[in-house]
Amino acid sequence: APGFWACLRRELYRQFSTPIPWFVLFLFTVLSGVFFWGNLEVRREITLRYVWQTVASLGSLLFPLLTMGIFARERSEGTIEVLMTAPVSSWSVTTAKFLSTVAFYLVMLAPTLIYYAVLLDLGQDIGKPDTGPAVTSYLGLVLAGAFYISLGLFCSALTSSQILAALLTWVFIIFFFIA
């Protein structure tokens, strides 16, 4: 549907042109890098297990920031009415917002591929990390991220306050993380 592609382009532009997602990307990259090197120095193991735990924990803190404005911003700016009366379906709008946020999340994960390359280089003498678990771990991170994004999308659709949407998302993520 042409309406879907127009919505997706709009959301991708919005996702990659506003400062909050880039702040989240910067924070995620710096913190995950610090934790990667810290775990490498302390444990001295050629494994990505601790990196994935750190990335999942960071995600639970950063996804609310990434998703808080998906619908809440539209409501607070008054553009939701225009968007919903445009000749596009609600499915197209929601899917475009979801996919644009997942695309940004994939951009966030891209720098972590360096960690695998570093472990391959460091582990040449003592054993390289297994590729199978690394690939399936990335798949798990992508799926968990998509789940967190869908929670954020839902919470953002409930309110016009971005702060409230972020808090609700965080509460739901913590609930599912504990459950």
Side-chain angles (χ1 to χ4, degrees):
F4 169 74
W5 295 110
C7 286
L8 184 60
R9 275 193 306 277
R10 176 183 178 265
E11 291 304 320
L12 283 170
Y13 174 76
R14 205 167 198 187
Q15 195 69 255
F16 285 93
S17 66
T18 55
I20 289 178
W22 287 106
F23 172 73
V24 170
L25 172 72
F26 172 77
L27 201 59
F28 177 81
T29 304
V30 168
L31 290 175
S32 65
V34 166
F35 285 119
F36 171 71
W37 284 110
N39 282 325
L40 199 58
E41 286 293 317
V42 170
R43 292 192 172 88
R44 299 212 179 264
E45 292 179 41
I46 304 299
T47 181
L48 289 169
R49 177 179 8 157
Y50 306 110
V51 174
W52 305 143
Q53 291 172 350
T54 301
V55 168
S57 298
L58 285 175
S60 68
L61 297 173
L62 297 177
F63 277 116
L65 296 176
L66 195 60
T67 61
M68 68 184 184
I70 292 176
F71 276 112
R73 182 178 44 228
E74 300 276 0
R75 286 196 176 169
S76 66
E77 293 174 356
T79 56
I80 193 76
E81 290 84 11
V82 175
L83 187 59
M84 288 301 160
T85 57
V88 292
S89 66
S90 298
W91 178 89
S92 295
V93 172
T94 305
T95 306
K97 288 179 177 293
F98 174 75
L99 290 178
S100 67
T101 310
V102 169
F104 194 85
Y105 174 57
L106 292 175
V107 169
M108 279 176 52
L109 279 182
T112 64
L113 292 170
I114 294 170
Y115 306 157
Y116 184 71
V118 167
L119 291 180
L120 282 175
D121 185 52
L122 290 176
Q124 285 180 349
D125 299 333
I126 58 174
K128 298 179 181 182
D130 291 331
T131 304
V135 170
T136 54
S137 295
Y138 268 108
L139 178 63
L141 283 176
V142 170
L143 293 175
F147 175 67
Y148 291 157
I149 289 167
S150 66
L151 283 176
L153 189 74
F154 172 71
C155 293
S156 183
L158 293 177
T159 181
S160 61
S161 169
Q162 292 185 32
I163 302 299
L164 184 57
L167 287 172
L168 279 173
T169 303
W170 185 75
V171 166
F172 276 119
I173 287 173
I174 295 302
F175 171 76
F176 284 111
F177 203 71
I178 291 171

